[in-house]
Amino acid sequence: KNEDMENAGGLPKRYAARYGVVLATGGYSRDLAFRMAEAPLQSEEMATRCHIGNTAGALRAALAIGARSVHTTLGRYGFYIASEDLRMGMVIDPKTCKRFIDESMPRTDLAVNMLLYMQKHRCIPLGIYDKKTMDAFFDHKRRQRLLFSNALRPYDTLEELAAKEHLDLKTLKATLDRYNKDIAGSLSVPLTEPPFAACTIEPDLSYTQGGVLINTRAEAISALDDKPIPGLYVAGEASAGVFGVTRLTACSLPDCAAFGMIAGEEIAKRARNIKA
Ligand SMILES: Cc1cc2nc3c(=O)[nH]c(=O)nc-3n(C[C@H](O)[C@H](O)[C@H](O)COP(=O)(O)OP(=O)(O)OC[C@H]3O[C@@H](n4cnc5c(N)ncnc54)[C@H](O)[C@@H]3O)c2cc1C
């Protein structure tokens, strides 16, 4: 549950830093103990595709010397299927064969509402697609991977889909008819053309917004007086406050690059001042 505290191996090393330290230690999606205390929604069962070094050890160390943290209850979620493609289908609870969510919601709202439902009803949702929607998938490579890994399972008929996915055919047909009528006039298209496919839909944690609050010079802000902590800089996912509730799609890497460069420039200026 907590790699930093439970891992007895490894070789501790100490470095002296004369001009400054940049924390570029990423997020904490893999740190169950930390993330669950901050956001119970990010439960133990929740999947993540983040690397195993995504722990909160460095964040805890910064907090221990008085850094201020913000947004630690927030997370950004992804799906195995691209969220643009997820929306083209109908999402149901396989136990009831009924819809429970508006598939067209923005990604974070969709994931959070889906997680709340999943935790309450103990289910893994299923997306239903047809030939037209699968042909129109935005991410073709990911569609191939989903087919290859059997996460996206095509069937010649709706009857076969219901039988193999253990769904109640009568309710599934009624839900699909209603969906096809309800979406008339929206951007979605009716699901009518075989093959039909079922796809497991499960949000996973791919980014944690929380971290050390920084200013526009990438300086860590003190919890005591909201002033910069001299010599401590934070860049990338380890920092926080650059984004609000929602981190926009694809905007983590520009954030990492921009504040990494700013932190470097600021330390160079600091080194010049200290030497002078
Ligand atoms: C599946 C997936 C898809 C994504 N897609 C996108 C995308 O399309 N666009 C986008 O902008 N972002 C995307 N992201 C998010 C983005 O990849 C990350 O936010 C970004 O890579 C973070 O970079 P970083 O340098 O801040 O941290 P990291 O790349 O996580 O690097 C931090 C490093 O510090 C090490 N470390 C941690 N703690 C310590 C410690 N105490 N001591 C020493 N070392 C430590 C870690 O092991 C790691 O090597 C995606 C993330 C995932 C999981």
Side-chain angles (χ1 to χ4, degrees), residues 24-26 49-51 53-55 58 206-207 235-238 247 250-254 256:
T25 41
R49 281 175 289 158
C50 288
H51 64 78
N54 250 252
T55 61
S206 64
Y207 179 92
E237 202 176 323
R247 194 266 285 160
C251 286
S252 171
L253 298 181
C256 295

Side-chain angles (χ1 to χ4, degrees), residues 99 103 178-191:
R99 282 175 76 211
E103 299 85 354
R178 170 126 193 233
Y179 172 85
N180 286 341
K181 278 193 200 112
D182 284 352
I183 57 157
S186 76
L187 290 176
S188 304
V189 291
L191 305 171

Side-chain angles (χ1 to χ4, degrees), residues 146-208:
L146 290 167
L147 287 168
F148 184 73
S149 64
N150 208 32
L152 181 66
R153 301 173 290 276
Y155 302 99
D156 289 336
T157 62
L158 203 59
E159 286 71 15
E160 193 191 347
L161 183 148
K164 297 264 172 62
E165 298 288 333
H166 310 289
L167 304 174
D168 179 68
L169 179 62
K170 205 169 145 216
T171 323
L172 178 67
K173 274 189 169 160
T175 305
L176 190 61
D177 284 348
R178 170 126 193 233
Y179 172 85
N180 286 341
K181 278 193 200 112
D182 284 352
I183 57 157
S186 76
L187 290 176
S188 304
V189 291
L191 305 171
T192 49
E193 206 179 314
F196 294 96
C199 183
T200 312
I201 307 275
E202 190 182 7
D204 59 30
L205 186 61
S206 64
Y207 179 92
T208 44

